[in-house]
């Protein structure tokens, strides 16, 4: 029994160090050490194992349980970025936003249009969407760059594409300044470089050699993409930091919570899910694994009063994210 507990202790300490490594994404970029960003992908599994082992020590009446419980407090916010249970907000919603990667309507463009119309949102922020063939009465439809489309009921006072100076860097987003209820807000539609995985590329089977090669191929694709994200992030940050207006950043970041991308794009902003979300924030459903890669961040002058991942529709490989805000500065 002592040997078994020693093995569990070593395993528990190892998992703890891996979890702590994922927190270093706030400081260490992928071009220096990309492996920390890989750890963020496995965070749900690692934290689940950590909790199970901690409970084992608690039930075994071991003093080390208190050590693991105390250190575990460091992971409260990282966990809440995946699963959260915020209190009910009593403030009235002033703005409704839908952010949605539509996969360019490949699963049904007319269904997407019907769904978006039914939401009656103030601003609709789309990724992987050309904006073609939509017929929205009362909405301005802006498609300043292929793959980014924003629809709004309100007056548009400015727009621009976040263009990299280096042609090897993909356009990470577009900016739309919109006047709502007498005040201008900057909306940034973000779509970071995609990984472009197909299901058969990550599906494991009983052949260990094949699975090993698949794992190597996955890592070979992940690490270069992390580094491309690192080049895109300063461009988006520039649009945020130089904005004369309160900012709402939404879109498909192709990165999970606790990643380098998450820490640096959310800096100085509020994560609407952490403020008003309940349950799981998983938004990408093509794989049988909890993946949150769609986000809504905002300036602190806006308060999220509700955040929902709408799992009632499967008209893309992403679920729509619906957020309502109260305007603190109105």
């Amino acid at each position: 029994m002592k040997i078994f507990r020693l093995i569990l202790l070593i395993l528990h300490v190892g998992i703890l160090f891996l979890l702590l490594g994922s927190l270093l994404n706030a400081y260490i970029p992928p071009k220096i050490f990309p492996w920390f960003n890989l750890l963020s992908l496995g965070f749900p599994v690692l934290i689940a194992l950590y909790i199970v082992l901690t409970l084992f020590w608690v039930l075994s009446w071991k003093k080390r349980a208190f050590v693991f419980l105390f250190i575990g407090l460091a992971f409260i916010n990282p966990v809440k970025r995946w699963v959260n249970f915020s209190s009910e907000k009593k403030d009235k919603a002033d703005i409704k936003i839908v952010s949605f990667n539509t996969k360019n309507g490949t699963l049904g463009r007319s269904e997407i249009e019907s769904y978006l119309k039914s939401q009656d949102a103030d601003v609709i922020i789309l990724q992987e969407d050309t904006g073609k063939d939509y017929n929205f009465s009362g909405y301005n439809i802006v498609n300043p760059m292929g793959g980014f489309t924003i629809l709004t009921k309100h007056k548009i006072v400015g727009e621009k594409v976040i263009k990299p100076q280096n042609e090897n860097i993909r356009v990470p987003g577009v900016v739309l300044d919109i006047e709502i209820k007498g005040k201008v807000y900057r909306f940034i539609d973000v779509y970071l470089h995609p990984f472009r995985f197909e299901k058969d590329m990550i599906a494991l089977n009983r052949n260990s050699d094949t699975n090993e090669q698949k794992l190597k191929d996955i890592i070979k694709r992940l690490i270069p993409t992390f580094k491309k994200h690192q080049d895109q992030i300063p461009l988006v940050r520039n649009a945020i930091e130089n904005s004369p207006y309160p900012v709402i950043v939404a879109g498909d970041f192709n990165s999970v919570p606790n990643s380098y991308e998450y820490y640096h794009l959310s800096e100085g902003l509020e994560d609407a899910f952490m403020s008003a979300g309940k349950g799981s924030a998983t938004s990408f459903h093509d794989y049988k694994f909890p993946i949150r890669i769609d986000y809504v961040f905002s300036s602190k002058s806006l308060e999220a009063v509700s955040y929902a991942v709408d799992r009632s529709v499967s008209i893309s490989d992403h679920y729509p994210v619906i957020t309502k805000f109260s305007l603190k500065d109105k």
Side-chain angles (χ1 to χ4, degrees):
M1 190 64 178
K2 288 184 178 180
I3 295 176
F4 174 71
R5 286 180 174 172
L6 177 61
I7 293 171
L8 287 185
L9 178 60
I10 293 171
L11 177 63
H12 203 171
V13 171
I15 290 170
L16 172 59
F17 276 101
L18 291 177
L19 287 169
L20 291 172
S22 70
L23 301 186
L24 292 177
N25 283 314
Y27 312 101
I28 301 176
K31 287 186 179 181
I32 292 179
F33 196 78
W35 298 96
F36 289 140
N37 228 22
L38 282 173
L39 290 176
S40 66
L41 292 169
F43 183 86
V45 174
L46 292 172
I47 196 65
L49 291 172
Y50 185 88
I51 292 171
V52 168
L53 289 170
T54 301
L55 289 174
F56 173 80
W57 299 125
V58 170
L59 296 173
S60 299
W61 292 94
K62 294 293 181 181
K63 292 181 180 178
R64 67 194 64 160
F66 296 100
V67 176
F68 285 114
L69 283 170
F70 179 75
I71 298 175
L73 295 176
F75 304 113
I76 290 177
N77 276 341
V79 167
K80 288 175 67 177
R81 294 171 189 144
W82 291 87
V83 180
N84 189 28
F85 295 94
S86 61
S87 58
E88 194 74 28
K89 304 289 183 179
K90 296 182 179 180
D91 292 331
K92 180 182 176 182
D94 297 301
I95 301 177
K96 180 179 181 179
I97 296 165
V98 175
S99 180
F100 189 21
N101 182 322
T102 67
K103 204 176 181 180
N104 205 24
T106 54
L107 299 184
R109 195 156 189 82
S110 61
E111 288 82 357
I112 289 172
E113 181 174 335
S114 297
Y115 174 80
L116 294 176
K117 286 180 178 179
S118 72
Q119 292 303 308
D120 192 32
D122 291 281
V123 182
I124 299 171
I125 302 170
L126 306 178
Q127 305 86 45
E128 283 197 81
D129 196 294
T130 61
K132 295 180 179 179
D133 303 322
Y134 283 139
N135 181 22
F136 279 79
S137 177
Y139 278 85
N140 297 307
I141 301 177
V142 180
N143 176 239
M145 182 74 186
F148 298 94
T149 297
I150 301 178
L151 301 88
T152 179
K153 296 178 178 180
H154 303 280
K155 180 182 177 182
I156 298 169
V157 299
E159 65 177 83
K160 69 175 181 178
V161 176
I162 303 175
K163 287 186 177 180
Q165 293 183 343
N166 186 338
E167 62 182 15
N168 293 321
I169 301 176
R170 182 189 178 103
V171 171
V174 298
V175 173
L176 210 61
D177 296 331
I178 303 173
E179 183 179 326
I180 302 175
K181 298 184 178 180
K183 188 172 180 64
V184 178
Y185 299 89
R186 171 160 292 182
F187 291 83
I188 304 177
D189 188 355
V190 174
Y191 180 52
L192 296 187
H193 198 285
F195 293 100
R196 301 205 182 283
F197 283 122
E198 300 295 336
K199 287 184 180 180
D200 60 342
M201 295 170 64
I202 64 170
L204 301 181
N205 52 45
R206 296 181 180 179
N207 188 314
S208 59
D209 292 335
T210 301
N211 291 338
E212 182 180 352
Q213 186 58 49
K214 282 187 175 184
L215 183 59
K216 290 178 180 178
D217 292 340
I218 289 170
I219 293 173
K220 285 180 181 178
R221 183 167 296 211
L222 286 172
I223 290 177
T225 304
F226 292 154
K227 294 177 180 179
K228 290 177 181 178
H229 289 174
Q230 183 181 336
D231 290 330
Q232 292 179 304
I233 288 170
L235 302 171
V236 179
R237 288 300 314 176
N238 185 61
I240 295 170
E241 293 165 6
N242 292 324
S243 174
Y245 315 117
V247 171
I248 294 175
V249 182
D252 175 4
F253 293 4
N254 278 304
S255 51
V256 296
N258 312 317
S259 63
Y260 176 85
E261 296 90 330
Y262 179 93
Y263 281 116
H264 290 268
L265 284 175
S266 65
E267 186 178 352
L269 302 174
E270 298 285 341
D271 182 340
F273 174 69
M274 290 188 69
S275 299
K278 295 180 181 179
S280 169
T282 295
S283 56
F284 182 78
H285 60 88
D286 223 19
Y287 310 145
K288 294 180 179 179
F289 188 80
I291 301 178
R292 180 194 180 194
I293 57 177
D294 299 277
Y295 302 88
V296 179
F297 300 149
S298 71
S299 298
K300 294 179 180 179
S301 59
L302 295 124
E303 181 180 7
V305 296
S306 70
Y307 181 104
V309 180
D310 191 349
R311 299 185 179 88
S312 68
V313 291
S314 295
I315 48 181
S316 172
D317 51 358
H318 293 245
Y319 291 122
V321 174
I322 304 167
T323 311
K324 294 180 181 179
F325 287 99
S326 171
L327 307 181
K328 292 182 181 178
D329 54 358
K330 59 184 177 180

